[in-house]
Amino acid sequence: MAACLQLNAKPFSPLLSPNPVSTGTRKLGRISCSAASPSKRHTITLLPGDGIGPEVISVARNVLNLAASIEGIEFKYQEVPVGGAALDLTGVPLPEETLLAAKQSDAVLLGAIGGYKWDKNEKHLKPETGLLKLREGLKVFANLRPATVLPQLVDASTLKREVAEGVDLMVVRELTGGIYFGKPRGFGTNENGEEIGFNTEVYAAYEIDRIARVAFETARKRKGKLCSVDKANVLEASMFWRKRIMAIALEYPDVELSHMYVDNAAMQLVRDPKQFDTIVTNNIFGDILSDEASMITGSIGMLPSASLGESGPGLFEPIHGSAPDIAGQDKANPLATILSAAMLLKYGLGEEKAAKRIEAAVLDTLNKGFRTGDIYSAGTKLVGCKEMGEEVLKSVDSLVPSSV
């Protein structure tokens, strides 16, 4: 099944709802006996990557397996290297075999990429180059990054409760164009003989139009408000961006469109984040603003993402980095990866019931007071990556999601 964008699909609803479940009586040890025989089969490519990536992917895989066994789904996994791990094994950050495996699967789940070990590599040998080439190779141009402040974690936000409480926004980021991919790029010498580095911010009309339609459809199925973020007071590429966004807006008269310069948007996200519902922006601005939005929720370790194209498998990954400082110490928060697995089920495979089961399990685990270090506060129980995963597994088994 291709994880393509369906503009007439079900709404891009908030990933988590505070009260989506009722409790059941299933016992964890009974899963293999009571689960239905698999009636649906999917192939998932796992890309553990670097740093904490292997740890969080291992936990997410266990959660996927349990949810699948309950819902009558069978997964076939292909685990292949990418990023620094691939560099160490093959000498390149994205081996051809890895890209081929990803393309031939129904969905791709990525852990994290990068680390200090490879920081001094030439650009084409940096782990991050592998991620950019993976996105380009899969042709996933629309990156959906939800940022929802859960009631259980409102006090984990660095913002005041009255500012953070109730925040629920979606950043729709263009992913395969702009300054990260634009040409010309490189190094050279200017007319004064000085060394220079240069990049190009460039967008074609079709690139803006397609991400605009995704954003308008997303906004239409949320609260009907879309804010397009650019720098049209300075950059010609942003002026063109705004022109195309306004042209596509004529197709969506029911969606309230506003525009905001990126510097103001960065300020408004911390001043009054509840003013936003859906944000659409280019590659580099979306990269920065979605990371900023993540901290409103309390931790970057809580936020998943989905990257989708017009056809082929989608790419699902937590938005956090590889965190090499805590890699291998059982300190990582696996919830963003678990929730990315839920997005994989929902948007990539159309398995809504299994997705809701996982989302519900994450909420239940938080309700019980379990916290990794990044979201810990007084009165909660500090756990590591593995134990957090075990608690989510218990909740996956015991909770019955509401009907789809």
Side-chain angles (χ1 to χ4, degrees):
M1 178 185 294
C4 57
L5 284 164
Q6 299 289 336
L7 294 186
N8 59 350
K10 290 187 177 182
F12 293 110
S13 58
L15 189 65
L16 296 175
S17 174
N19 300 294
V21 300
S22 59
T23 57
T25 57
R26 180 189 290 270
K27 301 296 184 182
L28 188 61
R30 298 179 185 172
I31 285 299
S32 60
C33 300
S34 58
S37 298
S39 59
K40 294 167 283 187
R41 292 175 171 82
H42 305 288
T43 299
I44 297 176
T45 295
L46 297 177
L47 304 175
D50 311 318
I52 63 173
E55 298 171 68
V56 296
I57 284 290
S58 176
V59 170
R61 178 175 181 165
N62 291 338
V63 173
L64 273 171
N65 283 338
L66 183 54
S69 71
I70 296 170
E71 300 297 343
I73 307 165
E74 181 180 324
F75 292 133
K76 176 184 176 182
Y77 296 99
Q78 306 177 88
E79 187 170 313
V80 286
V82 71
L87 280 165
D88 289 348
L89 285 171
T90 70
V92 294
L94 182 65
E96 291 182 10
E97 295 80 2
T98 295
L99 182 57
L100 181 62
K103 287 181 174 180
Q104 292 177 344
S105 62
D106 297 312
V108 181
L109 183 63
L110 171 70
I113 279 181
Y116 306 133
K117 179 179 179 180
W118 307 281
D119 277 352
K120 294 183 179 180
N121 285 17
E122 294 183 33
K123 183 178 181 298
H124 70 286
L125 294 177
K126 286 184 177 291
E128 295 79 7
T129 299
L131 178 58
L132 293 176
K133 288 186 175 180
L134 177 66
R135 291 169 176 169
E136 186 177 31
L138 293 176
K139 299 180 180 179
V140 287
F141 69 87
N143 184 224
L144 309 179
R145 292 189 169 190
T148 302
V149 176
L150 303 178
Q152 301 91 335
L153 297 180
V154 65
D155 291 324
S157 175
T158 54
L159 300 183
K160 294 179 180 178
R161 171 179 278 267
E162 59 267 29
V163 176
E165 194 167 29
V167 170
D168 173 21
L169 61 90
M170 177 75 81
V171 178
V172 180
R173 169 191 173 192
E174 199 289 322
L175 198 60
T176 56
I179 201 166
Y180 289 177
F181 292 91
K183 295 178 181 179
R185 61 189 301 150
F187 303 95
T189 305
N190 66 14
E191 62 274 13
N192 297 320
E194 299 169 319
E195 285 188 293
I196 61 170
F198 54 94
N199 294 88
T200 302
E201 168 74 358
V202 57
Y203 273 105
Y206 81 93
E207 293 176 301
I208 303 172
D209 292 358
R210 67 184 182 180
I211 195 66
R213 290 190 174 96
V214 172
F216 276 107
E217 291 288 343
T218 302
R220 171 181 279 173
K221 294 162 183 174
R222 286 172 56 89
K223 298 177 183 176
K225 292 174 58 180
L226 178 63
C227 179
S228 175
V229 174
D230 58 39
K231 192 61 177 170
N233 58 334
V234 176
L235 302 175
E236 283 81 1
S238 277
M239 296 173 193
F240 185 59
W241 174 280
R242 185 174 291 203
K243 175 183 176 182
R244 294 311 310 162
I245 294 289
M246 292 176 66
I248 300 301
L250 298 176
E251 301 173 16
Y252 299 89
D254 54 321
V255 176
E256 178 186 337
L257 174 65
S258 61
H259 303 274
M260 192 174 289
Y261 297 143
V262 64
D263 43 357
N264 187 29
M267 180 182 69
Q268 295 296 332
L269 271 173
V270 293
R271 189 190 75 83
D272 181 20
K274 286 194 285 286
Q275 69 182 280
F276 297 105
D277 175 53
T278 305
I279 294 172
V280 63
T281 190
N282 69 9
N283 204 338
I284 189 170
F285 296 162
D287 191 1
I288 297 166
L289 293 178
S290 60
D291 280 2
E292 180 186 6
S294 74
M295 291 311 300
I296 299 170
T297 71
S299 172
I300 199 170
M302 288 298 302
L303 296 192
S305 75
S307 301
L308 307 175
E310 292 175 322
S311 63
L315 174 64
F316 303 85
E317 58 182 304
I319 76 167
H320 62 65
S322 62
D325 291 342
I326 62 170
Q329 300 176 43
D330 194 37
K331 293 181 178 180
N333 184 346
L335 294 183
T337 311
I338 293 171
L339 291 172
S340 294
M343 292 190 83
L344 180 154
L345 289 166
K346 182 182 293 186
Y347 299 129
L349 304 178
E351 300 288 359
E352 290 263 350
K353 287 183 67 178
K356 287 191 176 213
R357 182 177 289 278
I358 292 176
E359 294 167 3
V362 169
L363 285 176
D364 186 57
T365 302
L366 293 172
N367 281 334
K368 292 175 180 175
F370 295 101
R371 303 286 190 273
T372 47
D374 57 314
I375 53 175
Y376 174 78
S377 60
T380 60
K381 182 180 179 181
L382 180 63
V383 296
C385 181
K386 291 179 182 177
E387 187 174 352
M388 180 65 90
E390 290 166 0
E391 293 301 327
V392 173
L393 284 172
K394 293 176 185 176
S395 293
V396 166
D397 189 45
S398 64
L399 295 173
V400 181
S402 57
S403 60
V404 178

